[in-house]
Every structure is written in structure tokens, then in C-alpha cells.
Amino acid sequence: MTAAPGTAAATAAADEAGIENLPISRALNAGMRRALAENDRVLLMGEDIGRLGGVFRVTEGLQAEFGERRVLDTPLAESGIVGTAIGLAMAGFRPVCEIQFDGFVFPAFDQITSQLAKFTNRHEGALQMPVVIRIPYGGHIGAIEHHQESPEAYFTHTPGLRVVSPSTSNDAYWMIQDAIASADPVIFLEPKSKYWQKGEVDTRARALPLHASRLVRRGTDVTLVGHGAMVTTLLQAAALAESEGTSCEVIDLRSLSPVDYGPILDSVRRTGRMVYAQEAPGFTSLGSEVAATVMERAFYALEAPVLRVSGFDAPFPPAKLEGAFLPDADRVLEAVDRVLAY
């Protein structure tokens, strides 16, 4: 008999076999199950994450397995969720908070940026704050504002926070465990449109450290950089470009703060050109920071300015217009053509 995917029996079987094929949502579930099993100070908390398993069912089955004192359903009060997590961290626990949708994190923004991010520095390193805040983010699910946004720049701009985003099932499985093990607060951005995208998970060993960027596809003409769901779009653009005779290298940022610039700069020094793509609006964005840093550090290797492809500097539109708002492979290819034209 084969164990149901994502269950404890399946995780144990996978540990023995080493490889399991999972959607990103189930890889996150398996990673949190392993963290709960290995450390009884790990707690999960959020709105409807217990009996229901969360809006996207990422925590499905974990309350039944670990109990209501380890997987807690909270009131609809994001500021209260994060404030309670701060107190639990001070008492020696490792809380993992789920925010239902990206735009709902802002009621907790003061707790995150004014308190959580500052405590360790305020206590000269003597007080650790091992809190993970999971945020499903980004578009492509046909929803409206507050449900499809990309708020990463607010958090990467805040010293004291680590910010990461997986794009594959294997990264989801390992990065959530590494985030939970971190002594610092981690904003864990989950590309919700990819929750159902399957991929291999190697449960025996992690491929990369939490804050390493990853070379996904080799190329010689242009370097494409992005994170989360945008990595899939970049790979689509690279495949289309190849059919037209242009070779694109693709790098998955993975860690948004700190940024691992080594692989990016190595790639740009080979290709001489770079395009950064993101779902977030472009003005004062993460892409702006990465573009500026690459132009500072690799100026003499560049054959053209670094170009950005972003969401528009406007509130997220009604669902029917998301295809026009969010960058797709065609917009990335248009930027590739422009950067090659210099």
C-alpha cells in the first residue's frame, strides 16, 4: 500500500527513498511537519490553519497530527498574530505565522517593522527572535487587490528581517525548515500561483543554503534574474529566445534580503547584459536595488544598462486585467531585444 502524499507515513517513506514528487504546497506542508516533529518548541499559528488547513490547505492535517496547542487557529487579527508570536519567541518558542493573503499583512506591519525587526539589535544581540511569517503573494490566480500583491520591497527595506522566496518544491521543503531554524525573523514569501506546480523533493540533503541564489539555466547572451513565480516566466522567455537564436542565462534570486550577488555578477561578466523581472511595481523596488548594485559592481563588463520588467506603478487592477498588469514572457523578450540593441 502507498501512503497518501504529504502524510507522516509518506514523509517517512520519502525519507527512506530520498525523492518524492510534490506540489509546492505539499512540500511546504512536509517541511513544516518535519520541523514540528524535530523541535517541540515550533508552533504554527494563523487564521483557519488548523481544522481547515488554511485557505490554500498548506497546513492540512498538521493540527490533527500535532494537536491544537502546536497548530493554533487564531482570530482574524494579523497584528495580534504577530504580536503574540513576538511574545512566544521571547519565551523560547519558534512561531510560524500564516498571513492568508499578501495584502492582509499590513495590519501587522507595525509589529513586524517597528518591533519584531528591532528587538535583537535593541538587546545588543542577547535576544533572538526566531519568528517566521509565511505570506502567500503574487498574482495569476484571478483575484483582486489585497489578494495578488507583491509587497517584498517593504520588508527588504527593513534592517533586521530576512526575506526569502522559493520557486520550486525542493526549495520550498528545505527553505521553510531553514527559516524555522533561523535565529532571526524571516519573511517567507510563497508564490501562491505555483502552489500546485509539482517538482522533485530530495528529502536527504538540501541543495543550497537559505540565502544563496541559484543558476537555473545556462546561457551566453543575456542574464535574466527574478524570484518566486517569475522564475517560470523567465524560463519560458529563455526557451522562446533560444528558438530565435538568443541564449539567455536564468538566475533564481531565492533570497531577497540578503541578496547573494556572486552568481549574478559572475553571469553578467560573461553575458554583458541583464534583465530583472518582478511582479511588483518598479518604482523603488527590489529590482531597482539589484539593478543599481550590478551596475556599480560590474560596470565595465556591461554592454548595456540593466533593464527592469515590472508590474505597473498602479494599484492591482480588477481580475480580468491581471494579464495586462503582470509581466509575461513577451514583455521579458521585448526587454531582451532592447538590451541586445545597444
Side-chain angles (χ1 to χ4, degrees):
M1 179 181 294
T2 302
T7 63
T11 301
D15 283 345
E16 186 175 346
I19 302 291
E20 193 171 5
N21 194 32
L22 294 175
I24 285 180
S25 61
R26 302 312 297 173
L28 289 166
N29 182 287
M32 286 187 282
R33 171 179 289 106
R34 187 163 178 171
L36 284 161
E38 292 179 349
N39 187 343
D40 62 7
R41 309 297 282 180
V42 175
L43 306 175
L44 309 187
M45 51 195 300
E47 300 160 1
D48 293 328
I49 70 162
R51 181 177 299 181
L52 181 65
V55 171
F56 296 101
R57 305 299 188 268
V58 174
T59 55
E60 189 172 41
L62 298 180
Q63 188 182 71
E65 187 173 345
F66 293 96
E68 296 180 356
R69 295 178 65 84
R70 306 262 330 262
V71 182
L72 294 80
D73 279 318
T74 67
L76 303 180
E78 288 80 7
S79 180
I81 294 169
V82 176
T84 302
I86 291 172
L88 286 165
M90 288 178 166
F93 291 93
R94 291 182 173 273
V96 181
C97 307
E98 177 180 300
I99 303 297
Q100 278 193 341
F101 286 92
D102 34 66
F104 297 174
V105 73
F106 297 113
F109 191 72
D110 179 60
Q111 290 282 9
I112 296 171
T113 59
S114 300
Q115 308 302 332
L116 179 62
K118 305 290 194 296
F119 267 112
T120 298
N121 185 65
R122 198 176 289 162
H123 290 78
E124 298 181 335
L127 180 63
Q128 296 182 343
M129 296 301 294
V131 176
V132 177
I133 300 177
R134 297 179 38 242
I135 306 174
Y137 81 107
H140 298 291
I141 65 166
I144 57 174
E145 64 174 7
H146 299 139
H147 295 72
Q148 301 225 88
E149 296 168 9
S150 297
E152 61 266 25
Y154 293 106
F155 302 111
T156 58
H157 184 70
T158 303
L161 297 176
R162 299 176 184 269
V163 185
V164 299
S165 181
S167 68
T168 67
S169 296
N170 197 55
D171 273 349
Y173 177 77
W174 285 110
M175 288 173 72
I176 189 63
Q177 294 180 69
D178 289 343
I180 294 171
S182 172
D184 300 321
V186 178
I187 304 297
F188 197 90
L189 296 167
E190 300 170 3
K192 65 171 97 72
S193 65
K194 302 300 178 187
Y195 270 149
W196 304 275
Q197 172 183 286
K198 281 190 170 183
E200 286 190 347
V201 176
D202 185 344
T203 60
R204 297 165 299 187
R206 57 181 49 73
L208 288 171
L210 181 62
H211 293 296
S213 55
R214 179 165 57 100
L215 176 60
V216 180
R217 174 186 172 120
R218 289 200 174 276
T220 58
D221 298 329
V222 181
T223 301
L224 307 180
V225 184
H227 65 271
M230 190 53 62
V231 175
T232 302
T233 302
L234 294 179
L235 289 170
Q236 292 169 347
L240 291 169
E242 185 177 38
S243 69
E244 298 172 355
T246 300
S247 173
C248 293
E249 190 150 293
V250 178
I251 293 179
D252 178 1
L253 203 60
R254 295 178 78 250
S255 177
L256 285 53
S257 180
V259 172
D260 176 20
Y261 279 104
I264 301 171
L265 293 170
D266 288 346
S267 177
V268 169
R269 288 177 180 129
R270 289 194 301 273
T271 65
R273 296 173 173 83
M274 174 179 146
V275 173
Y276 191 96
Q278 59 191 354
E279 293 187 18
F283 185 72
T284 59
S285 62
L286 177 62
S288 304
E289 174 63 27
V290 173
T293 300
V294 169
M295 285 195 277
E296 286 176 0
R297 297 193 190 177
F299 180 78
Y300 292 106
L302 286 168
E303 300 290 341
V306 175
L307 298 185
R308 288 167 292 153
V309 180
S310 308
F312 295 110
D313 295 325
F316 203 91
K320 289 184 178 178
L321 296 177
E322 72 166 11
F325 181 87
L326 296 169
D328 58 12
D330 286 341
R331 285 179 60 190
V332 173
L333 288 174
E334 190 273 337
V336 168
D337 288 342
R338 281 196 291 137
V339 83
L340 286 169
Y342 278 89

